[in-house]
Amino acid sequence: MGVQSTHADSLVLGSAFQQAYSNLGPNDSLVYDLLEGYKQKRREIKKGLDGRRYGAYNAYRSTHSIS
């Protein structure tokens, strides 16, 4: 799997986490599983010379609701 594909998967998981967290709250097992899946996908992407993973800001934004 390439970096862009892994990044895209992490955005899907991040968005699903954010929606589940909003609807179910922080203590639901689905929310926990989605967050762990998101973190695992992000960790599959190696850090660049700047110490950040590809698409870090967009990935971060996928886990937060936009007000």
Side-chain angles (χ1 to χ4, degrees), residues 21-60:
Y21 186 91
S22 293
N23 294 327
L24 303 172
N27 297 321
D28 191 275
S29 64
L30 174 63
V31 174
Y32 176 80
D33 291 343
L34 287 168
L35 179 58
E36 290 302 309
Y38 165 80
K39 292 188 319 188
Q40 179 181 350
K41 276 293 171 194
R42 294 304 304 161
R43 289 175 180 152
E44 289 177 17
I45 301 172
K46 294 188 186 297
K47 290 184 179 181
L49 296 175
D50 63 356
R52 296 172 51 116
R53 290 180 170 86
Y54 175 84
Y57 181 69
N58 288 335
Y60 165 80

